[in-house]
Amino acid sequence: MKSGCENKKSTKKRSVELPILNKTGKDRTEIRASTTSRWRAAALIGVNLLIVLHIIQWLVMGRTLSPIEPSESMYTLQQGVLNAGFIFFALAILATLIFGRYVCGWGCHIIALQDLCAWILKKIGLTPRPFRSRILVFVPLAVALYMFVWPTVNRYMLKPAGEPLIPQFTNHLITTEFWSTFPPIAVAIPFLFVCGFMTVYFLGSKGFCTYACPYGGFFSLADKVAPGRIRVTDACNQCGHCTATCTSNVLVHAEVAKYGMVVDSGCMKCMDCVSVCPNDALYFGFGKPAAAVAKSVKKTASLSWPEEIAAALVFGSAFMAVWDVYQLVPMLMALGIATVTTFVVMRSYKLLTTGDLTFYRYTLRSGGRLKNAGIAFLGFAALWTGLNAHSGWVRYHERAGALAFQSLQIPDELALARSNPDPWLSASDRENIAVGKQHFTKAVSTGLFTNVDAMPKLAWFEYLSGDPEKAADHLAKAADRQTGQGRALSLYYRGAILNRLGRFEEAIASLDKALAERPDLAAAREEKGESMWQLGRRQEAVTEWGDAVQNNPRLVLANSFLSGAAASMGRQDLAADYRSRADQSVPADARFHFMLGLRLQKAGMNDLAKENFQRAIKLDPSIQTRWVLSGGDR
Ligand code: SF4
Ligand code: SF4
Ligand code: SF4
């Protein structure tokens, strides 16, 4: 079998002869159609229909069984969240340990997509050919270890003494948040296109399974010890129909001749080879596992060893460039993109350095001259790798900005105590703000999409560097594109900043939207109460702070405001009561008391403000000097 794109004049002998390809005219025997392929297609259509029904049932009823998706197992292993995905994955691995990769061949929605793509390509006369890399074939296992084993190892190394290695399980079999761990639909569609279609077109019928799927990494290992295998009888005459039919790139006729069974762990038990064998020589049966014999029959590699190393470097760079870029590209999609980039780069190199080259039925280069198809291929390669490189540029700035953000030391409450947090910034904060702002500005201004994770962080850097107006604008833009918790937080911070700017009506509007997303966001109620108090809507402010402390009785800020409000209304007993509640949770931190003093002072609650300033100075006398040096409240 040839690789997808091969030197026309290559005189290289095949690693394994495929008899059927050598027969012509009268001698050539037709391969009979597989009857099991129809059953498998029906099973895979059934799997996809069940997935659709599952989603519809959730949309209609609001709660359903958690996603039956192996990636959900990560949450079980990391957080003890027992879900349907973990149970399915555990049972699937168990089944594979006995029967081999039937779950892959007959129960995976991604293989259904890959098969559909291969079928469409064949209908238009293009037969996908396998790309064979000896290094990249280990990617699925490496990713599987990273996803499913590394978190446990990490916890073992970091866990405090006495904490159990296995987290305590909690029942999450039923969920209302069915889609929460999946990418948005706008990402899911290109995800399926890249992983289901592009990988097949460029890397072969099982391109995604071979080079990207982490579950396949475990299934492939489990298959090696499975006693259930495709086996052969003495009736085999080495006609090669089985190998010609196999879409999993298995050299069936050679393996059964050498070992009496298929040992290649890429075999997904589709049963096509069994169905097409003219001598009915193949069957599924139990016996010695593949691990008991030597490695599978050697296949012709698509790359030399130096090329393999170059391909691994391209793959690694392409993967790191796109993984989580714009906080949009999930890991599996990044793996799919990286495999396509690797193929495209390596083939472009070959196209530029070889005399003759074809791709499917197209001649890319002949007699050392580039053909139109070759120019088109290079054009696509330039566009694709250019996009990949651009993503890498954006991702680099996103990562560097996020690193600077993580290193900030100033607490949010202190920064939000006044519209200019400058006096509280340490030297390292100032440096991180400058660096982070620069990186995020580049990422946001050159990015093709709005990064809803970078935008609020850039807004925070703008606020800390003294531009609250710009910060509020960025947060509004971020909130427009966010959902759930992220949107609630952006709207809350925007409301808080607008409050510091004295734009109280706008602050209330923003905080109301935050509370619509997250009614339990107490900090938003504290801020909203403050806006109302400033607007003279005092009774509404008291109600808002009252709502905040109802669910969180020890909230320091809301209790302090309630204490100040009660004092201003002459209710000293109530004021003392709220103050003692605030005191129960107030940290012995000078900066916190100073922040509290500033907020109360702004609200005209001067006695309480003074008390907090005095406490702050008692805890840290230098705080007064810093305040005076900064020019007081500007
Ligand atoms: S290797 Fe992954 S994508 Fe391929 S069939 Fe198995 S589970 Fe599905
Ligand atoms: S197993 Fe069947 S199809 Fe395969 S080489 Fe032998 S006779 Fe031919
Ligand atoms: S070896 Fe046979 S059963 Fe296995 S994937 Fe290939 S055709 Fe299907």
Side-chain angles (χ1 to χ4, degrees), residues 488 513-522 524-525 544 547-548 551-552:
K513 286 187 203 162
L515 288 165
E517 291 287 341
R518 277 267 319 267
D520 61 328
L521 194 57
R525 292 202 185 280
E544 204 63 50
D547 285 349
N551 293 328
N552 307 272

Side-chain angles (χ1 to χ4, degrees), residues 490-549:
S490 289
L491 290 165
Y492 155 68
Y493 278 100
R494 180 166 181 270
I497 290 171
L498 291 171
N499 256 353
R500 300 298 95 75
L501 290 171
R503 291 158 59 181
F504 303 118
E505 297 282 5
E506 290 170 76
I508 291 176
S510 189
L511 294 163
D512 273 338
K513 286 187 203 162
L515 288 165
E517 291 287 341
R518 277 267 319 267
D520 61 328
L521 194 57
R525 292 202 185 280
E526 291 177 322
E527 283 290 346
K528 190 179 163 193
E530 204 173 334
S531 322
M532 288 170 156
W533 185 265
Q534 295 286 3
L535 287 169
R537 293 157 59 181
R538 300 198 161 192
Q539 196 47 54
E540 288 172 82
V542 169
T543 308
E544 204 63 50
W545 290 324
D547 285 349
V549 294

Side-chain angles (χ1 to χ4, degrees), residues 19-20 23 27-34 232-245 252-253 271-283:
I20 189 166
K23 293 180 179 169
D27 294 337
R28 188 182 176 111
T29 50
E30 285 299 319
I31 301 176
R32 71 188 190 198
S34 165
V232 73
T233 65
D234 294 340
C236 172
N237 66 355
Q238 287 293 291
C239 68
H241 288 200
C242 45
T243 299
T245 305
V252 190
H253 73 293
M271 308 299 280
D272 283 343
C273 54
V274 176
S275 177
V276 302
C277 176
N279 301 323
D280 293 330
L282 293 173
Y283 66 101

Side-chain angles (χ1 to χ4, degrees), residues 305-315 342 346:
W305 275 110
E307 286 170 348
E308 288 279 4
I309 291 164
L313 291 174
V314 172
F315 180 89
T342 308
M346 298 314 293

